[in-house]
Amino acid sequence: MRHTVVERELELRLVLAPDHSVPVAARLTYRTADPYAVHICFHVDSAHPVRWAFARELLVEGVFRPCGHGDVRVWPARSEGRAVVLMGLSSPDGEALLEAPAAQVSAWLERTLRACPPGSEGGRLDLDEGLSGLLTQ
């Protein structure tokens, strides 16, 4: 089966205080080989990039309404008159609030949904190959 990768580089804002944020280079990645997840890599050009993965469905829903709990929360908002998507990330190492341009995230998500429409994800999983790999270890 041929797999597709959909990527988008963009600048997010790391919110440090209500009136202070700093730019953070990021790459959004979606792979039809891992059809339920989206991957975000922060500090793309640094020696120690930070990587997060969470459900694509969470990001799709978060563009329209608040969703998620625990480690990943996503919700729409406005910042300086423009639509943004806020992502609250929490780990044992700390917490981060990131702001992404809603139009760019939505356009990227649209490309992922064309590559693998909702409901078709299960057909992209090669369960036989994965199970075989586990059993041969």
Side-chain angles (χ1 to χ4, degrees):
M1 174 180 288
R2 188 172 90 74
H3 290 290
T4 302
V5 176
V6 180
E7 290 188 315
R8 171 77 194 236
E9 301 232 355
L10 69 157
E11 183 177 284
L12 303 180
R13 305 289 305 174
L14 175 61
V15 179
L16 302 172
D19 61 343
H20 184 65
S21 63
V22 295
V24 176
R27 179 184 302 119
L28 300 173
T29 303
Y30 176 77
R31 298 177 187 90
T32 57
D34 185 9
Y36 292 104
V38 293
H39 302 263
I40 303 177
C41 180
F42 304 104
H43 308 289
V44 175
D45 296 324
S46 74
H48 304 287
V50 175
R51 301 176 197 282
W52 277 79
F54 54 89
R56 174 176 70 163
E57 184 178 323
L58 181 66
L59 189 55
V60 169
E61 185 176 340
V63 168
F64 299 103
R65 69 188 134 276
C67 64
H69 52 74
D71 294 347
V72 179
R73 294 171 291 111
V74 184
W75 66 97
R78 296 202 67 77
S79 176
E80 298 177 4
R82 62 187 178 94
V84 297
V85 177
L86 293 173
M87 292 177 276
L89 307 176
S90 179
S91 79
D93 295 327
E95 296 184 359
L97 177 60
L98 293 143
E99 179 183 289
Q104 291 177 19
V105 171
S106 295
W108 176 77
L109 281 170
E110 179 67 30
R111 290 176 49 214
T112 76
L113 295 170
R114 282 195 307 268
C116 184
S120 70
E121 296 93 347
R124 296 287 186 157
L125 297 174
D126 192 345
L127 297 178
D128 291 334
E129 181 180 321
L131 185 56
S132 175
L134 287 173
L135 294 175
T136 59
Q137 292 182 4

